[in-house]
Amino acid sequence: MTRSNLTRIAGAGLVAGVLLGVSACGVSGGAGDMKAAERTGRVAGEITFRTLQLKPVYTAYVQGVIDAFEEKYPEAKVKWEDVPGDGYNEKLVADAQAGALPDVVNLSTDSFQLLGDRGMLADVAALDGGAAKDYVPGAWEQFKLPGKGDGVFAYPWYVTPEILTYNRELFQKAGLDPEAPPTSVEQFFDYAERIAANSGGQYSAFMADPKGRLPGDWQKMGIPILNEKQDRFTFDTDKAVEWAERMKDLYAKGAMPKESLLKSDDVNQLYGGGKLVFGPGSPGFVKDIKRNAPQIYANTKVAGAVTGTLGHIGIYAQSLGIKKDTKHLDAAAEFAKWVTNGPNQVEFSKRATIYPSNAQGLADPYFSDRGDGTDAETVARAVGSEQLKTAALDANTPVQWTNQVGDAVVREMQKAIKGEQDARTAVRKAQEAANKLLADAAAK
């Protein structure tokens, strides 16, 4: 699973991410010349704090965090604004152009890139040299930027790890051992082939849409996504061709719902209706199935995510960025640290199906408790927290893999899977298109 999958997590009302809907050239190139604010040693002044679609479900929680901060720092005042998910990045662009970015802003990995690449965010590693130890390494490192050295340009907030979910009953019907789930992409495909052979067309293994699988599958197979300088895509390899050929073969054999290649079917509905063996790999999905399809939930099993040769998992992380030229740097930095500290992240995670990026918070027994091992939601929480310990930057979708790049690659892979062009041509064309987008972005 890749970042695009993980944006579909979360409890009711919690938006886990906003996809990059605007081009990288939407922000003035002069933004990188913003003068960095300096610490004064005084936590004071009014700062603005923007979140992404947390009201009204999490109003009480967020306001409680703000109230406690203002009580600790009586000279500081936090003005909270919550905005809808639709058009979030467009609003960031407009605010950046108008010089009206909030002091502390909730960013997905995509919107983080949009601002970070243009020098609009403060380097929190430079502001707070000891902060790295407070966060899960895979989350802290996710907010570095290519070419910016050890700089980290946002405090990690809540995260979602990757897990494996599957229907135990259908697994057994296909002749597979539910206690031995797949651990590599290649083995996952082998299992899917057996499922197709034994299902009689009554159910499928997984969704066909390659957007949810790339570049994660390729990373797990050891395919180099970028060159050492991180300025060219290099995934045109024999292994990537093998992946495309295998997907085509599995699609033809019925391992995936035919209609799921070109349109976004409701995976929850398909899994909840007993038509799919593997569900989305997020703990939030398990909670949804428990609520909406209790009979399927009773047969749902959870395991660690497929890791392949990397041995790592990807995570999707929300963050809190600090405006580089904020007038009240101490207040903004201390507030971002306050929101992302251990106790506050644990409390948030108990209200929504998310996890702390804060290492102390993740160590809370709430996340390791498996109960009696029979309740999938409880087990999923424990498996997810364990997986976070092995999360690493090399398993996350690189920032260069924008939505535009992903769409270009997916178009070629869809043609290969449908048999409209051979796999080698598809991979070559995909890399050419991706590198053109990368070069165009660098030239702007």
Side-chain angles (χ1 to χ4, degrees), residues 26-297:
V27 181
S28 167
D33 298 326
M34 291 169 63
K35 184 178 179 180
E38 296 181 0
R39 280 191 179 272
T40 65
R42 183 182 174 203
V43 181
E46 181 175 282
I47 58 172
T48 52
F49 172 45
R50 179 181 295 171
T51 56
L52 174 57
Q53 206 164 313
L54 295 185
K55 291 182 178 180
V57 178
Y58 303 102
T59 298
Y61 165 75
V62 176
Q63 191 59 56
V65 171
I66 292 171
D67 291 346
F69 177 78
E70 291 179 342
E71 182 178 351
K72 182 175 181 180
Y73 299 103
E75 292 185 88
K77 178 70 176 176
V78 179
K79 181 181 178 181
W80 175 30
E81 59 180 50
D82 187 72
V83 300
D86 290 343
Y88 188 65
N89 284 336
E90 288 88 341
K91 181 170 176 56
L92 284 177
V93 169
D95 288 345
Q97 290 174 330
L101 280 175
D103 299 286
V104 180
V105 57
N106 180 185
L107 300 170
S108 68
T109 32
D110 294 318
S111 50
F112 158 77
Q113 178 198 353
L114 185 67
L115 300 184
D117 278 352
R118 279 143 192 88
M120 296 180 178
L121 301 174
D123 180 354
V124 300
L127 291 175
D128 189 0
K133 68 180 186 306
D134 296 333
Y135 298 90
V136 176
W140 178 256
E141 292 168 5
Q142 188 161 7
F143 298 102
K144 293 183 175 181
L145 289 165
K148 300 290 186 179
D150 292 328
V152 176
F153 295 88
Y155 284 100
W157 195 8
Y158 56 91
V159 297
T160 304
E162 185 181 358
I163 62 173
L164 187 71
T165 59
Y166 55 100
N167 185 312
R168 176 177 52 204
E169 182 180 15
L170 296 183
F171 225 63
Q172 290 174 316
K173 283 184 177 180
L176 299 168
D177 180 2
E179 301 303 321
T183 58
S184 68
V185 175
E186 294 86 352
Q187 189 179 37
F188 181 88
F189 285 163
D190 289 343
Y191 280 32
E193 187 166 4
R194 290 188 61 180
I195 289 166
N198 293 300
S199 68
Q202 297 301 305
Y203 52 90
S204 302
F206 64 100
M207 302 295 277
D209 183 9
K211 187 169 187 175
R213 305 202 63 84
L214 297 177
D217 276 6
W218 288 350
Q219 289 170 306
K220 292 171 181 178
M221 293 170 69
I223 296 169
I225 305 301
L226 290 157
N227 64 3
E228 189 173 343
K229 291 177 64 178
Q230 306 282 291
D231 61 358
R232 295 282 295 174
F233 287 104
T234 57
F235 54 77
D236 183 2
T237 62
D238 288 345
K239 277 189 172 291
V241 172
E242 289 172 13
W243 179 92
E245 289 175 339
R246 194 76 194 274
M247 285 283 287
K248 175 187 174 183
D249 182 57
L250 290 170
Y251 184 70
K253 290 178 177 177
M256 315 165 220
K258 295 293 183 186
E259 64 277 6
S260 69
L261 179 61
L262 298 176
K263 69 173 186 175
S264 299
D265 284 352
D266 188 342
V267 64
N268 287 30
Q269 185 176 2
L270 286 172
Y271 182 90
K275 299 296 184 181
L276 209 61
V277 174
F278 293 102
S282 78
F285 163 75
V286 178
K287 185 175 183 177
D288 288 342
I289 291 299
K290 184 177 185 177
R291 180 174 59 247
N292 298 319
Q295 288 184 319
I296 298 298
Y297 176 78

Side-chain angles (χ1 to χ4, degrees), residues 1-5 185 210-226 233 235 243 310 394-402 405-406 409-410:
M1 176 190 295
T2 61
R3 189 170 63 208
S4 57
N5 300 85
V185 175
K211 187 169 187 175
R213 305 202 63 84
L214 297 177
D217 276 6
W218 288 350
Q219 289 170 306
K220 292 171 181 178
M221 293 170 69
I223 296 169
I225 305 301
L226 290 157
F233 287 104
F235 54 77
W243 179 92
L310 282 179
D394 59 0
N396 288 327
T397 301
V399 294
Q400 294 89 338
W401 189 284
T402 62
V405 168
V409 172
V410 164

Side-chain angles (χ1 to χ4, degrees), residues 13-33:
L14 178 63
V15 175
V18 178
L19 297 178
L20 187 58
V22 294
S23 69
C25 61
V27 181
S28 167
D33 298 326

